Amino acid sequence: MRAIFWLGLPLSTVMARTAFYKGSQPKVKESITSPRGWVKHAPAPPSHVLELKIALPQPKFDALEQYLWEASDPGHERYGAYLSKEETYALMSPHRGSVEAVVDWLASYGFEEGHLVRSPANDWITIRAPVSLAEKMLDTTYHVYHHAQKGDTTVRTLSYSLPENLHGHVDFIQPTTMFARFKAFKSTLHWSGQAELVPASLGNGTITGPAGNQVDASCNSTITLTCLRQLYNALNYTTSATNGNKLGLTGYLNQYANLDDLQQFYLTQNPAALGSNFTFVSVHGGTNNQSLLAAGDEADLDTQFGFGLTYPTPGTFYSTAGEPPFTPSALEANDTNEPYSYWLGYVLSQDDIPQTISTSYGDDEQTVPYNYAVRVCNEMAALGARGVSVIFSSGDGGVGDNDADPATQQCFTNDGRNVTRFVPFFPATCPYITAVGSTAYIPEKAIPFSGGGFSNYFPRPPYQELAAQGYIDKLAPGTYQGLYNPYGRGVPDVSTQGLNFSIFWEGKNVHVSGTSCSAPTFAAFISMLNDARISLGLPPLGFLNPFLYSSGYKALNDITEGNNPGCGTEGFNATVGWDPGKSDVTA
């Protein structure tokens, strides 16, 4: 009988070494109930390869967070004094004993140093293992799960264990219990000329904006670069191509930014940019297929409006590989988590990072394991501490998740209790990023699909205490009691236009809508502000929220009309001041 080899060692030898590992008996590290919507299909193929990411604790994160608050507070002496890459890593690194314990445990299963992929801060260790070995290491059984409504397929488990004395050295291991589906926040797609949702009367000529600025009346039916520059007072501002300011946009789920589409867009909306391009960066094997039929409407939208608004500011498009919906088989290379961790690991390792970065992807907060969400959020904080304004769209399900019960339209928890509850979106709920919702029309009002609400994972951050509590105090007693967490981080922070954006996709002019439109729009205007600051010798704005909530809101236009229905309710109403129905918009 031939021995089965893994990593150069017979499996019998690996198991013998495991028996002598100094750890104690396995103890459950993480366990979930059967996730809502997913059905167990069959045992996972033993040879299917998993790329396991092991997260080690970050004992100095409190110090990093404190530095973030100080560097982002306009009233603090450290405002704008951002950390270097090396200083950030020093505050992200685990204790040496944690690294040694994990490496020793992995060695007991035959993983030598050459098999380990370490993050620069040593807070992540990644290995590749077939399901058969992963099941032994984690004392678990993997299965193929199928999403009954959406058709997605993934390889996961509901519980895994580690030696008890290893628990304090490992925050979590994934992919194990993560059932996030991860999607682009794009609400609708219309062919040019198709009847669309517009105000009853468009009028002719111009409309007066909130600051007395004149906006073309056509912007009430179709949003262009000129509309946004008119509405948000940047019509005559020209950015620099050489002062060091940059804008970054992220792409996931095989969303490719087509260059021919970009040039057609420039030809019609910004002829000065015609012939220009962005820098493409591949992360974890990400590509940018230029076949016209492979063009991604999300990636086209982001790059056309993000880079179109900020030209000639240099732009970077990050394409990160990884797509959770897949068909597992022995022929496939690996299974993936949602890919934020890969992108964060890459961008934090760079010496030069764009000062503003926008992302229009996410998922229901409850589908992302709590420990995983916290770690990803902490790494967003590290980006902020390095002076990056991190922008995310707030989601396109109002207060719900677009997966509400078809009969009742109610939303339910994913913890096996099936409790009726609003569903916030992650990473928008992370307190270290700026979440962007959507408005429509001029004068602007909240748009129904705009994601908003309160996190069930993250407590309300200090900068938001007065604004969020002020809104909750205005609600009638008992409003939505039990449907949301009144102590959670509120979303969104700001909003911009998000309806009927005119783009080119697959060579055709189409209109798209969603908070996917709003995030790159807001990021582009923040990039313009960073451009002006850098040209004056000032540091970039960095993490925006402490400034926005303390004094920056005074430069914003308050939206007091509209709401964001979902889960069988009318959602949260827009009102004077901050609210989770839309928040304020740039002015």
Side-chain angles (χ1 to χ4, degrees), residues 222-234:
T222 299
I223 293 295
T224 64
L225 298 180
T226 299
C227 291
L228 296 172
R229 281 183 168 267
Q230 289 175 340
L231 180 60
Y232 300 137
N233 289 325

Side-chain angles (χ1 to χ4, degrees), residues 563-581:
N563 59 299
N564 58 349
C567 302
T569 75
E570 292 301 310
F572 293 107
N573 290 320
T575 186
V576 174
W578 179 88
D579 59 71

Side-chain angles (χ1 to χ4, degrees), residues 130-144:
V131 163
S132 57
L133 179 58
E135 290 180 335
K136 293 179 174 65
M137 296 173 66
L138 303 178
D139 192 31
T140 191
T141 301
Y142 278 89
H143 283 83
V144 176

Side-chain angles (χ1 to χ4, degrees), residues 192-194 196-199 202 215-228 269 305 441-442 497 499-503 509-512:
S192 181
Q194 179 180 339
E196 297 165 9
L197 176 65
V198 296
L202 294 178
V215 184
D216 293 341
S218 62
C219 299
N220 257 333
S221 61
T222 299
I223 293 295
T224 64
L225 298 180
T226 299
C227 291
L228 296 172
Q269 295 203 32
F305 271 85
Y441 312 135
I442 305 159
Q497 290 279 322
L499 183 68
N500 292 337
F501 276 47
S502 177
I503 69 167
N509 183 212
V510 301
H511 288 178
V512 293

Side-chain angles (χ1 to χ4, degrees), residues 82-159:
Y82 303 117
L83 297 176
S84 68
K85 178 177 72 174
E86 292 73 22
E87 290 169 331
T88 305
Y89 281 157
L91 296 177
M92 297 171 65
S93 61
H95 289 309
R96 181 176 178 180
S98 293
V99 178
E100 292 175 347
V102 172
V103 170
D104 183 47
W105 173 67
L106 291 173
S108 73
Y109 284 93
F111 290 91
E112 301 172 357
E113 184 60 39
H115 304 126
L116 313 182
V117 178
R118 300 172 182 252
S119 65
N122 266 328
D123 55 338
W124 291 93
I125 295 178
T126 303
I127 60 170
R128 290 165 56 83
V131 163
S132 57
L133 179 58
E135 290 180 335
K136 293 179 174 65
M137 296 173 66
L138 303 178
D139 192 31
T140 191
T141 301
Y142 278 89
H143 283 83
V144 176
Y145 284 83
H146 179 77
H147 196 280
Q149 182 179 358
K150 302 299 182 180
D152 302 350
T153 305
T154 193
V155 170
R156 294 293 187 265
T157 181
L158 300 183
S159 176

Side-chain angles (χ1 to χ4, degrees), residues 250 252 283 318 320 339-348 357 383:
T250 66
Y252 302 97
V283 179
Y318 300 94
T320 304
Y340 291 131
S341 61
Y342 293 104
W343 177 79
L344 282 162
Y346 171 82
V347 76
L348 284 168
I357 301 177
L383 270 180

